mmCIF file of all heavy atoms in Angstrom:
data_model
loop_
_atom_site.group_PDB
_atom_site.id
_atom_site.type_symbol
_atom_site.label_atom_id
_atom_site.label_comp_id
_atom_site.label_asym_id
_atom_site.label_seq_id
_atom_site.Cartn_x
_atom_site.Cartn_y
_atom_site.Cartn_z
ATOM 1 N N ILE A 150 73.313 86.481 110.477
ATOM 2 C CA ILE A 150 73.991 85.353 111.057
ATOM 3 C C ILE A 150 74.334 84.270 110.018
ATOM 4 O O ILE A 150 75.430 83.655 109.942
ATOM 5 C CB ILE A 150 73.140 84.862 112.258
ATOM 6 C CG1 ILE A 150 73.224 85.831 113.400
ATOM 7 C CG2 ILE A 150 73.652 83.476 112.706
ATOM 8 C CD1 ILE A 150 72.233 85.582 114.501
ATOM 9 N N LEU A 151 73.394 84.031 108.990
ATOM 10 C CA LEU A 151 73.623 83.084 108.073
ATOM 11 C C LEU A 151 74.877 83.445 107.254
ATOM 12 O O LEU A 151 75.724 82.581 106.983
ATOM 13 C CB LEU A 151 72.339 83.123 106.983
ATOM 14 C CG LEU A 151 72.670 82.331 105.756
ATOM 15 C CD1 LEU A 151 72.781 80.785 105.911
ATOM 16 C CD2 LEU A 151 71.592 82.623 104.696
ATOM 17 N N TYR A 152 75.030 84.715 106.944
ATOM 18 C CA TYR A 152 76.254 85.172 106.257
ATOM 19 C C TYR A 152 77.506 84.962 107.120
ATOM 20 O O TYR A 152 78.541 84.537 106.616
ATOM 21 C CB TYR A 152 76.077 86.651 105.847
ATOM 22 C CG TYR A 152 77.316 87.229 105.264
ATOM 23 C CD1 TYR A 152 78.022 86.594 104.247
ATOM 24 C CD2 TYR A 152 77.925 88.402 105.693
ATOM 25 C CE1 TYR A 152 79.123 87.181 103.621
ATOM 26 C CE2 TYR A 152 79.042 89.100 105.145
ATOM 27 C CZ TYR A 152 79.617 88.332 104.110
ATOM 28 O OH TYR A 152 80.737 88.867 103.510
ATOM 29 N N GLN A 153 77.415 85.243 108.422
ATOM 30 C CA GLN A 153 78.487 85.243 109.176
ATOM 31 C C GLN A 153 78.991 83.715 109.382
ATOM 32 O O GLN A 153 80.124 83.360 109.459
ATOM 33 C CB GLN A 153 78.227 85.683 110.633
ATOM 34 C CG GLN A 153 78.287 87.200 110.617
ATOM 35 C CD GLN A 153 77.689 87.862 111.786
ATOM 36 O OE1 GLN A 153 76.994 87.249 112.635
ATOM 37 N NE2 GLN A 153 77.808 89.276 111.889
ATOM 38 N N LEU A 154 78.011 82.800 109.413
ATOM 39 C CA LEU A 154 78.306 81.365 109.548
ATOM 40 C C LEU A 154 78.750 80.760 108.290
ATOM 41 O O LEU A 154 79.639 79.914 108.286
ATOM 42 C CB LEU A 154 76.997 80.678 110.151
ATOM 43 C CG LEU A 154 77.004 80.320 111.648
ATOM 44 C CD1 LEU A 154 77.566 81.511 112.423
ATOM 45 C CD2 LEU A 154 75.555 80.085 112.075
ATOM 46 N N LYS A 155 78.031 81.074 107.227
ATOM 47 C CA LYS A 155 78.170 80.299 105.992
ATOM 48 C C LYS A 155 78.835 81.067 104.868
ATOM 49 O O LYS A 155 79.018 80.594 103.758
ATOM 50 C CB LYS A 155 76.882 79.722 105.537
ATOM 51 C CG LYS A 155 76.162 78.786 106.580
ATOM 52 C CD LYS A 155 75.883 77.456 105.999
ATOM 53 C CE LYS A 155 75.337 76.485 107.073
ATOM 54 N NZ LYS A 155 74.056 75.826 106.638
ATOM 55 N N GLY A 156 79.016 82.398 105.029
ATOM 56 C CA GLY A 156 79.696 83.234 104.110
ATOM 57 C C GLY A 156 78.841 83.448 102.861
ATOM 58 O O GLY A 156 77.722 83.171 102.725
ATOM 59 N N LEU A 157 79.615 83.946 101.753
ATOM 60 C CA LEU A 157 78.859 84.196 100.483
ATOM 61 C C LEU A 157 78.262 82.954 99.967
ATOM 62 O O LEU A 157 77.240 82.999 99.347
ATOM 63 C CB LEU A 157 79.956 84.695 99.469
ATOM 64 C CG LEU A 157 80.405 86.164 99.696
ATOM 65 C CD1 LEU A 157 81.490 86.575 98.690
ATOM 66 C CD2 LEU A 157 79.167 87.091 99.442
ATOM 67 N N GLU A 158 78.955 81.818 100.147
ATOM 68 C CA GLU A 158 78.425 80.548 99.596
ATOM 69 C C GLU A 158 77.163 80.240 100.142
ATOM 70 O O GLU A 158 76.212 79.805 99.539
ATOM 71 C CB GLU A 158 79.523 79.490 99.911
ATOM 72 C CG GLU A 158 79.551 78.299 98.907
ATOM 73 C CD GLU A 158 79.572 78.834 97.431
ATOM 74 O OE1 GLU A 158 80.365 79.767 96.995
ATOM 75 O OE2 GLU A 158 78.634 78.407 96.726
ATOM 76 N N GLY A 159 76.916 80.380 101.489
ATOM 77 C CA GLY A 159 75.668 80.139 102.053
ATOM 78 C C GLY A 159 74.569 81.011 101.563
ATOM 79 O O GLY A 159 73.491 80.641 101.378
ATOM 80 N N LEU A 160 75.022 82.341 101.372
ATOM 81 C CA LEU A 160 73.997 83.269 100.706
ATOM 82 C C LEU A 160 73.556 82.843 99.347
ATOM 83 O O LEU A 160 72.337 82.847 98.988
ATOM 84 C CB LEU A 160 74.512 84.674 100.772
ATOM 85 C CG LEU A 160 74.800 85.212 102.121
ATOM 86 C CD1 LEU A 160 75.467 86.701 101.924
ATOM 87 C CD2 LEU A 160 73.598 85.465 103.030
ATOM 88 N N ARG A 161 74.582 82.444 98.501
ATOM 89 C CA ARG A 161 74.342 82.066 97.203
ATOM 90 C C ARG A 161 73.402 80.931 97.104
ATOM 91 O O ARG A 161 72.377 80.874 96.385
ATOM 92 C CB ARG A 161 75.654 81.760 96.500
ATOM 93 C CG ARG A 161 76.409 82.905 96.112
ATOM 94 C CD ARG A 161 77.574 82.466 95.217
ATOM 95 N NE ARG A 161 78.639 83.480 95.192
ATOM 96 C CZ ARG A 161 79.868 83.419 95.606
ATOM 97 N NH1 ARG A 161 80.279 82.242 96.120
ATOM 98 N NH2 ARG A 161 80.698 84.436 95.552
ATOM 99 N N ASP A 162 73.633 79.904 98.008
ATOM 100 C CA ASP A 162 72.809 78.615 98.046
ATOM 101 C C ASP A 162 71.386 78.977 98.328
ATOM 102 O O ASP A 162 70.435 78.573 97.591
ATOM 103 C CB ASP A 162 73.364 77.709 99.020
ATOM 104 C CG ASP A 162 74.634 77.013 98.692
ATOM 105 O OD1 ASP A 162 75.031 77.223 97.407
ATOM 106 O OD2 ASP A 162 75.357 76.400 99.487
ATOM 107 N N GLU A 163 71.132 79.776 99.456
ATOM 108 C CA GLU A 163 69.738 79.963 99.743
ATOM 109 C C GLU A 163 69.095 80.860 98.732
ATOM 110 O O GLU A 163 67.900 80.741 98.311
ATOM 111 C CB GLU A 163 69.669 80.784 101.062
ATOM 112 C CG GLU A 163 68.257 81.064 101.445
ATOM 113 C CD GLU A 163 67.974 81.276 102.965
ATOM 114 O OE1 GLU A 163 68.839 80.864 103.712
ATOM 115 O OE2 GLU A 163 66.960 81.841 103.199
#
Side-chain angles (χ1 to χ4, degrees):
Chain A
I150 288 169
L151 168 71
Y152 174 50
Q153 283 162 354
L154 258 41
K155 303 232 174 128
L157 282 174
E158 211 43 56
L160 296 178
R161 287 188 195 118
D162 287 346
E163 178 160 342

